[in-house]
Amino acid sequence: MAEKRYLKWYNKVGYGSGDIAGNVVYAFLTFFVMIYLSDTIGLNTGIVGTLMAVSKIFDGVSDVILGSLIDKTKTKMGKARPWMLWPYLGCGVCLFAIFSIPTSWGQTAQYAFFFIFYVMLNAGFYTANNIAYSALTALITKNENERVQLGSLRFVFAFTTSTIIQAVTFGLVEHFGNDAAAWRIVALIYVIIGIISHTVSVLSMKELPEDEIEAKKAVDAPEEKYTLREAVGLLVKNKFYLLILGVYLLTQLYTAFTGVGTYYMTYVLGNRELMGYFASALNIPMIIGLLLVPTIVAKLGGMYKINYSGYALATIARILVIVAAYMGSVPMMLAFTAIASLGMCPLQGDLNAVIASASDYTYLTTGKRIDGTMYSCTSLGVKIGGGLGTAISGWLLAAAGFIKGGVATQPDSVLTMLNVMYLWLPAIFCGLVTFLLTKLNVEKANAKLLEPKN
């Protein structure tokens, strides 16, 4: 018998379009905040990196707390949608503030201004919004293939938005005057786009009744309320959650160091307009591949093999990017970057479905439903992985002797460091993700738990 379908086409597209809003925040911040702070505002990359690292202390606490609050929420809109809707307005305010640092202030005040709004954005508003958005995968459908479709569509919109932002931001900044005011205008444009797309996304979906979400338990455990401490205990006992969290941290570190491309194109390749070409090589193959992921997963009957095989291909391709770079061939770098992205797209497309399966694993083994808390790995991984990646980038650049203020050239030590950061580290992260994915067969574990007992 065919598995029940829960979603119309507009529900799926509406869900996916929520990542337009997510990426006008995430992509803009990841790829451009450091170069804005160093070359336009004139702040030290090492100090900025330290502030970003310190902010992660708040992130680790807020993710699990807000995930638990989402689990306990009961409104007419459901559990997750209220937390998705209203916090995004705070995201917009904070993003605009980060790119509106007063140039007339002293540097101490500028560092403080940046730190306050960066923490508010990451530890508060973005956390609530992103966990709720991710948790919806498990709350609006029980159909495994629909969950994969949602993940694929989500990242189609995400990578499309990221590609556009990376391709047009420098041009927009130059159009508006290439100064601090120009960055402020561009940030405002992105915030308006984000609020509109986000509101449409929230209104296009409806959560399932709670009694319809529940599945048959594999253990005879009564439903009961649990504290935040108990929720954390449930997460730690779920090995698949820990594996997914590790994967998220590494993939976000990968993204953060490919974000050094703004510096790499400017100072190593000598043409920052190449940023758009490399963004296209990263994202267009990903978008094409994501459209095919649901069909491939359905035909293969699962996500496990395609995920680790794809990342093994990506690892090989990233190594070949290094070879092409030292050969001085930009076209070959672009080609192997594209192949690597194709290898990564299965995991990007079905990762939300994998998390939903991990949440099912907790329910099957304990009888407790913790979808919001389980999806804390999405926000925790994004923020800690991405934030630490950006922070470490700042430290490494400062240690290498980076000259702030938008100078035309940098010392050889900085160019060497940029090669390490943009070429070598992403390949290493791909290899580590591949290893973790070989252990992440949650589908098999759930199937075994659901086998009839003799």
Side-chain angles (χ1 to χ4, degrees), residues 168-323:
V168 306
T169 295
F170 278 137
L172 285 173
V173 170
E174 290 182 3
H175 173 74
F176 289 115
N178 203 26
D179 56 8
W183 283 101
R184 187 164 58 247
I185 293 170
V186 172
L188 180 60
I189 292 171
Y190 289 159
V191 167
I192 292 171
I193 293 171
I195 290 174
I196 293 172
S197 64
H198 189 266
T199 303
V200 170
S201 178
V202 173
L203 297 179
S204 70
M205 295 172 288
K206 184 178 180 180
E207 295 179 32
L208 295 174
E210 191 168 344
D211 57 354
E212 190 171 356
I213 297 173
E214 305 298 350
K216 181 182 178 182
K217 291 175 282 188
V219 298
D220 185 15
E223 292 289 344
E224 56 185 41
K225 295 182 179 180
Y226 55 89
T227 65
L228 175 60
R229 183 176 180 179
E230 290 170 334
V232 173
L234 291 172
L235 292 181
V236 173
K237 291 178 182 177
N238 187 330
K239 63 181 178 181
F240 298 112
Y241 171 86
L242 298 177
L243 285 168
I244 292 168
L245 179 58
V247 167
Y248 251 108
L249 289 170
L250 289 167
T251 55
Q252 294 307 313
L253 283 169
Y254 171 92
T255 300
F257 280 99
T258 55
V260 178
T262 51
Y263 290 105
Y264 186 84
M265 309 307 159
T266 301
Y267 297 113
V268 177
L269 298 183
N271 181 5
R272 73 178 189 174
E273 298 304 320
L274 286 172
M275 186 68 184
Y277 292 99
F278 276 89
S280 297
L282 278 167
N283 296 325
I284 291 177
M286 183 75 74
I287 293 166
I288 296 171
L290 285 169
L291 294 173
L292 302 175
V293 167
T295 301
I296 296 172
V297 170
K299 287 186 176 181
L300 292 178
M303 301 173 281
Y304 172 64
K305 288 183 179 179
I306 189 176
N307 284 343
Y308 77 72
S309 298
Y311 251 87
L313 173 64
T315 303
I316 295 170
R318 287 305 307 189
I319 292 171
L320 293 174
V321 170
I322 299 172
V323 175

